[in-house]
Amino acid sequence: MAPIIQIREMAEHIGAEVTLQGWLYAKTNKGRLQFLQVRDGSGLCQAVVFKKNVSEEDFAAAKELTQESSLRVTGKVVANERSPGIPGGYELDSTSLEVVQVADEYPIQPKEHGVEFLMKNRHLWIRSSRQWAVLRVRATVIRALRDWLDSHGFLNMDTPILTPAAAEGTTTLFEIDFHGEPAYLAQTGQLYNEANIFAFGKVYCFGPTFRAEKSKTRRHLQEFWMLEPEIAFCNLEQLMEIEEEMISYVIQRCLTENAEELKVLERDTASLQRVMAPFPRIHYDEAVAMINAAAEAGELVPGYDDPVPAMPWGEDFGSPHETYIAAQFDKPVFVHHYPTQIKAFYMEPEPGRAEVCRSVDLLAPEGYGEITGGSERMSDPEKLIAAIQAHNLPMEPYEWYVDLRKYGSVVHSGFGLGIERTVSWICGIGHLREAIAFPRMLQSMRP
RNA sequence: UCCUCGAUAGCUCAAUUGGCAGAGCAUGCGGCUGUUAACCGCAGGGUUCUUGGUUCGAGUCCAAGUCGAGGAGCCA
């Protein structure tokens, strides 16, 4: 019996007889010669079936195979420059074939399809090579993030998904019935992580978060995965260093571990190779000045036909503003010190200039938008209570949160990183829905 | 919530001013020893999103609705 191997390891078996097990991705029938494109989850390999090299029955069986039929195919691994595949350059010179199931007529063809059709068939679409590549990059991103954090003294702490109150008060939440009491699906684990750091120093949580926003754009999902590190004895400047080191590491890991996937996606890797710390940093004041200078000069938003709109100091950036700012740099750019009034209550105001706070967003290049948002947290209990009251939030749900500042309060900071946005950026794809296997979007949660 | 666009064969699309419903791919049958979304021949495949209206005549024009896409706001 030939050993069963994964297509990814073909190169290590040149000249050997092996068995591949997988599904038929595509087939070309040339009469006495058939080319079977077999995918097994790890890659894609062409199995060549010559009539004279296999039994009558096996040759006939190969002829009956439809797209996505499951099979096992045995043969000799041959290096051949002409062979397509992931990775390319190897093929299987088949000697025998076992059909597991002949698939029904498969709806997705190797050609252009519309979004609606593909989303309706998402359970099948994930088998297609582009989707397969994106989701493998996603796995690498998550693995690399965890590796970096785990090896830099962070402890993984899981935070609750069922929560009694809004963490930030502003965003729309999914309300559920917690045995007669209203509860909400978490939109962040941050407040709990702030408790965790006083026990463990440096922590991160990673899990799904939920936003019931009426957003219907390529940059929004109703359910997305967020990584949230939180660090004790860490100020805003130190936070930015952590972010840029971690993200540079993740990009470089993807470049080495997912070279084949990025090739499938036809991603321009030169722009990713530039993503090395340090990243440029600009103050909110500076960003507003850049935007208004561009607006005055009549510059267009990169990628759009609309001019950059002017904005008054004190407002949050609109989507066109973010796109314009990010396009001025060839690396991700930090924008820090946003106006206090547009940010969450727990952010530390800048000493001596309380109208701005010690917050920072990281904007990805190429129009991929905000991929992290973070800040130095308020560490004085009296100021925190005042902030909660100023935002008209109820005191009771935050009592434990204020408590943290009474027993050994320290300067601390943290941020959240959106996984789907990061994956979309790395893969160069146009919509977040492709960066998660089964996206939840406004008016769409099937399959 | 607002703005813009769209819906025709299983899929992707075409159909001139309102005048016979079309093609490619997929499917079935046949052919082919190097295909890369192969190619060649033959065949089958339609409630033109729904409802109403205008007209001798509507895929095409009008109205309402449904569904989808892109964008704004908000955000990661």
Side-chain angles (χ1 to χ4, degrees):
Chain A
M1 274 282 283
I4 294 167
I5 67 156
Q6 287 206 307
I7 289 169
R8 186 151 279 253
E9 24 182 68
M10 289 277 285
E12 301 157 28
H13 297 269
I14 292 173
E17 171 121 308
V18 302
T19 296
L20 302 180
Q21 48 187 10
W23 298 267
L24 187 72
Y25 195 62
K27 182 174 76 171
T28 305
N29 184 351
K30 291 279 296 175
R32 292 188 178 79
L33 170 63
Q34 299 182 70
F35 298 99
L36 311 181
Q37 309 296 331
V38 178
R39 52 169 201 86
D40 74 343
S42 80
L44 182 72
C45 174
Q46 170 167 279
V48 183
V49 184
F50 274 100
K51 188 163 188 172
K52 59 169 188 174
N53 291 351
V54 299
S55 69
E56 285 281 322
E57 300 78 57
D58 284 2
F59 192 80
K63 222 167 164 179
E64 296 305 310
L65 288 172
T66 54
Q67 192 185 351
E68 288 303 318
S69 291
S70 41
L71 69 149
R72 291 191 186 85
V73 59
T74 301
K76 198 168 91 173
V77 179
V78 181
N80 185 336
E81 282 175 12
R82 290 178 295 181
S83 306
I86 311 167
Y90 308 98
E91 62 185 28
L92 196 71
D93 199 357
S94 311
T95 51
S96 71
L97 179 88
E98 179 197 341
V99 177
V100 180
Q101 190 207 33
V102 174
D104 282 359
E105 188 180 334
Y106 191 67
I108 301 177
Q109 300 167 32
K111 54 167 262 189
E112 292 289 315
H113 290 284
V115 172
E116 186 182 1
F117 172 79
L118 289 169
M119 285 311 301
K120 212 180 281 175
N121 289 288
R122 183 61 177 169
H123 57 301
L124 305 176
W125 190 23
I126 55 175
R127 305 180 187 194
S128 299
S129 57
R130 282 184 62 87
Q131 302 306 307
W132 169 88
V134 171
L135 294 172
R136 284 178 65 94
V137 170
R138 177 190 171 104
T140 303
V141 168
I142 293 169
R143 196 165 60 241
L145 287 167
R146 286 187 179 280
D147 285 350
W148 192 88
L149 290 162
D150 291 343
S151 63
H152 283 77
F154 287 75
L155 193 74
N156 179 208
M157 293 298 296
D158 299 315
T159 53
I161 287 172
L162 298 182
T163 58
E168 299 179 5
T170 52
T171 330
T172 320
L173 300 171
F174 284 105
E175 185 174 332
I176 59 161
D177 173 21
F178 190 81
H179 307 296
E181 184 188 346
Y184 305 90
L185 298 181
Q187 58 174 346
T188 169
Q190 181 206 317
L191 304 192
Y192 298 98
N193 263 349
E194 288 188 60
N196 289 332
I197 56 164
F198 290 93
F200 304 101
K202 299 197 274 188
V203 303
Y204 67 95
C205 64
F206 177 57
T209 46
F210 308 89
R211 306 274 168 97
E213 293 158 357
K214 299 285 185 226
S215 302
K216 190 173 172 272
T217 82
R218 68 175 83 173
R219 288 196 283 265
H220 293 89
L221 295 171
Q222 302 284 291
E223 176 183 302
F224 68 97
W225 286 64
M226 188 158 67
L227 176 86
E228 295 178 276
E230 191 76 26
I231 310 103
F233 296 102
C234 175
N235 64 23
L236 184 69
E237 289 71 25
Q238 292 165 317
L239 185 73
M240 287 191 258
E241 285 171 22
I242 289 169
E243 290 192 37
E244 64 194 2
E245 289 296 333
M246 184 183 79
I247 287 166
S248 302
Y249 174 80
V250 169
I251 300 290
Q252 300 311 315
R253 279 278 296 269
C254 288
L255 284 169
T256 54
E257 292 179 23
N258 292 121
E260 288 294 330
E261 285 79 2
L262 294 172
K263 209 193 304 175
V264 168
L265 293 164
E266 298 172 81
R267 181 65 163 108
D268 164 30
T269 50
S271 65
L272 294 178
Q273 265 148 12
R274 283 195 293 269
V275 181
M276 300 281 273
F279 298 162
R281 291 153 163 72
I282 60 171
H283 195 285
Y284 172 86
D285 293 348
E286 220 176 315
V288 171
M290 282 171 70
I291 287 163
N292 286 330
E296 193 152 331
E299 279 188 60
L300 297 184
V301 180
Y304 296 85
D305 292 333
D306 306 315
V308 177
M311 64 174 289
W313 191 99
E315 277 186 14
D316 207 350
F317 300 131
S319 192
H321 299 132
E322 254 180 27
T323 305
Y324 174 77
I325 291 291
Q328 306 313 305
F329 301 89
D330 62 359
K331 286 184 186 185
V333 55
F334 286 115
V335 181
H336 54 84
H337 285 94
Y338 283 80
T340 307
Q341 63 175 65
I342 60 168
K343 286 292 183 182
F345 71 91
Y346 50 72
M347 296 189 182
E348 179 73 25
E350 178 67 22
R353 198 184 162 194
E355 74 274 18
V356 293
C357 61
R358 296 180 60 73
S359 60
V360 61
D361 286 356
L362 182 66
L363 308 183
E366 303 169 68
Y368 284 95
E370 186 183 337
I371 55 171
T372 78
S375 70
E376 196 175 301
R377 320 304 191 189
M378 221 174 253
S379 49
D380 179 79
E382 300 310 320
K383 272 158 67 179
L384 184 60
I385 289 168
I388 291 168
Q389 286 165 348
H391 280 77
N392 292 316
L393 293 169
M395 207 54 230
E396 188 273 333
Y398 294 105
E399 273 168 13
W400 67 266
Y401 185 66
V402 174
D403 238 21
L404 302 174
R405 278 72 177 171
K406 295 181 184 167
Y407 307 106
S409 191
V410 297
V411 57
H412 65 285
S413 301
F415 66 96
L417 175 142
I419 292 293
E420 288 78 11
R421 284 189 182 176
T422 305
V423 171
S424 295
W425 164 47
I426 294 172
C427 292
I429 58 176
H431 202 299
L432 286 198
R433 65 183 160 226
E434 295 182 33
I436 183 168
F438 296 99
R440 282 348 180 197
M441 294 175 296
L442 193 63
Q443 297 168 335
S444 150
M445 60 166 189
R446 293 183 180 82

